[in-house]
Amino acid sequence: MRTMIRLGQPLLLAVALAASLPAMAQQARRVAPEQLGNDWILLNRDVSVDVPNSGVNIYKPSCIAVTYSIGSDGVPFDVKVAKMEPPSDLGKAAVSAVSNFRYGPSLTNKTEQPVSTYYIVPFNSSDDPAQRAQLMAPCKLPGYGQS
């Protein structure tokens, strides 16, 4: 009986580790948006987005920070609105835009490692880079380190 317990404990540990591997594989490291190009390159430049015709603050300049992970296939998953300034009815539009992104691995990401990041979707923003940066600043998210 004592030998059986010793053999059973490592076996139980191995089974527990094997069961947790898929969850550990989904743990992507967090990458700041400006560092994303070190891992993944956005392939599409245009995405179709359904924007509502009416709603709260949909014609006001705004930004929406959308968090997501990029899977080993280059497709975003776990796409969520993390921050919106000012609050509006454009969250679904921002999520649909990011959900339609498609990525290819960079030359330094040959193993196609998943990462987590975020994207700030601007709505009704100026073409002036300084004004655009000012509009998007409130939607920057902490906790996304440099890769």
Side-chain angles (χ1 to χ4, degrees):
M1 181 80 171
R2 188 176 196 129
T3 303
M4 193 174 200
I5 291 173
R6 282 191 204 150
L7 292 176
Q9 287 175 339
L11 181 60
L12 183 61
L13 180 61
V15 169
L17 282 173
S20 68
L21 282 177
M24 290 187 333
Q26 293 298 319
Q27 293 272 335
R29 81 185 147 78
R30 287 180 152 199
V31 175
E34 59 273 8
Q35 298 295 317
L36 185 58
N38 294 333
D39 295 286
W40 292 95
I41 298 165
L42 185 62
L43 299 176
N44 53 340
R45 296 294 175 205
D46 295 319
V47 293
S48 295
V49 178
D50 287 330
V51 178
N53 291 328
S54 62
V56 176
N57 289 331
I58 66 167
Y59 296 109
K60 246 185 172 179
S62 63
C63 65
I64 299 175
V66 179
T67 60
Y68 62 103
S69 296
I70 302 169
S72 59
D73 58 358
V75 176
F77 68 94
D78 199 22
V79 182
K80 299 177 191 165
V81 171
K83 194 170 189 182
M84 189 180 307
E85 199 57 49
S88 72
D89 288 337
L90 293 169
K92 284 185 180 181
V95 167
S96 74
V98 172
S99 295
N100 288 317
F101 288 173
R102 294 300 177 261
Y103 291 90
S106 71
L107 294 176
T108 58
N109 189 9
K110 292 180 179 153
T111 58
E112 301 175 359
Q113 290 295 308
V115 297
S116 290
T117 191
Y118 71 96
Y119 184 82
I120 299 174
V121 182
F123 287 96
N124 305 310
S125 71
S126 169
D127 289 335
D128 176 50
Q131 288 180 349
R132 187 179 180 105
Q134 185 179 7
L135 172 71
M136 294 172 62
C139 286
K140 288 191 177 185
L141 300 176
Y144 288 84
Q146 301 216 352
S147 55

